[in-house]
Every structure is written in C-alpha cells, then in structure tokens.
C-alpha cells in the first residue's frame, strides 16, 4: 500500500511505495524558519520512489545555510506548506516534511541533528542520537 500525503490546501499531493528509509528531526535555524516552529521532522524517501499525484510544488534554493550547501526546499505555492528538502550530499534521497503525511502515526525519530541551534525549551529524548551539527 502506498504512503500518501499532501499540503494543507490539497493542491500538492504525493505518494511513494515503501516506508521511509530513515526519520529524524532537524533543529537548524533555517528549518525553524521554514517550518515556523522549533524544528522540522523529516523522513528520508528514495527520489526514484517518490511521485506527485496532483500539482507541482515551487522551489526555493536556500543558499544561506550553516553547512554552506544549498538546500532545495519544495513547497506548495498556494498554501505555503513545506513538502520536502533535497541536499547535495544525498542526491538520491528526498527529506519529506512528515507533517504532510496522511498518516503520521508511525513516525519515530532515529536522530536529532543541528542540536547546537535547537530551541532552549526543547528537551531531547536521551535514547535518540543527537548531533550538534550535521555529520
């Protein structure tokens, strides 16, 4: 059964065949700004398995990042929902914003990254690996 999701307004919809290959939480300042929240929850999905079933997202190329790499941030041009990010170091993987999944019940983070810029009030689960920066 395909994994499905969409933006807030339903203009952009997607699906992929298999469960994500990894899940995590990014605490970088840019993800905080993009999400309008304390962090971004992510699911790694092979680019070859991912397809849009309705609509086409817009692209913002985020060049001002702590890593120095340009992050491609795809979002709905109508409602603004972030859909996924792509990074040069992992060109075959999309980092889906898990809040857009139709069923979020299986999300369990495998790691936290960019914890050196996390919000002070966020408490990390000691059982989940946490990296100060991107490894």
């Amino acid at each position: 059964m395909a994994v499905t999701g969409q933006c807030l307004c339903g203009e952009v919809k997607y699906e992929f065949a298999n469960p994500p290959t990894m899940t995590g939480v990014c605490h970088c300042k840019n993800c905080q700004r993009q999400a309008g929240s304390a962090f971004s929850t992510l699911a790694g999905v092979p680019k070859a398995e991912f397809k849009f079933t309705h609509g086409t997202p817009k692209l913002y190329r985020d060049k001002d990042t702590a890593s120095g790499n340009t992050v491609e941030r795809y979002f709905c041009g109508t409602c603004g929902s972030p859909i996924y990010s792509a990074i040069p170091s992992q060109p075959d993987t999309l980092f889906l914003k898990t809040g857009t999944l139709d069923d979020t019940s299986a999300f369990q983070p495998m790691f936290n990254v960019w914890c050196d810029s996390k919000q002070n009030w966020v408490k990390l689960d000691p059982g989940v690996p946490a990296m100060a920066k991107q490894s």
Side-chain angles (χ1 to χ4, degrees), residues 26-32 37-39 66 113-120 122 131-134:
C26 183
H27 297 272
C28 81
K29 192 63 178 171
N30 289 30
C31 277
Q32 290 177 35
S37 188
F39 45 77
V113 68
W114 291 106
C115 296
D116 60 344
S117 55
K118 78 171 184 57
Q119 297 281 322
N120 290 335
V122 171
M131 296 159 271
K133 297 190 180 302
Q134 180 182 347

Side-chain angles (χ1 to χ4, degrees), residues 67-125:
S67 68
N69 293 316
T70 298
V71 175
E72 293 182 344
R73 298 181 183 275
Y74 292 83
F75 63 97
C76 175
T78 302
C79 68
S81 295
I83 306 297
Y84 71 83
S85 295
I87 58 175
S89 63
Q90 296 184 14
D92 298 327
T93 302
L94 306 176
F95 294 92
L96 186 67
K97 306 301 180 168
T98 63
T100 64
L101 290 166
D102 289 334
D103 180 2
T104 59
S105 64
F107 180 79
Q108 289 291 323
M110 299 165 74
F111 63 87
N112 287 281
V113 68
W114 291 106
C115 296
D116 60 344
S117 55
K118 78 171 184 57
Q119 297 281 322
N120 290 335
W121 58 267
V122 171
K123 304 297 182 221
L124 301 178
D125 180 340

Side-chain angles (χ1 to χ4, degrees), residues 21 40 68 105:
T21 57
S40 182
S105 64

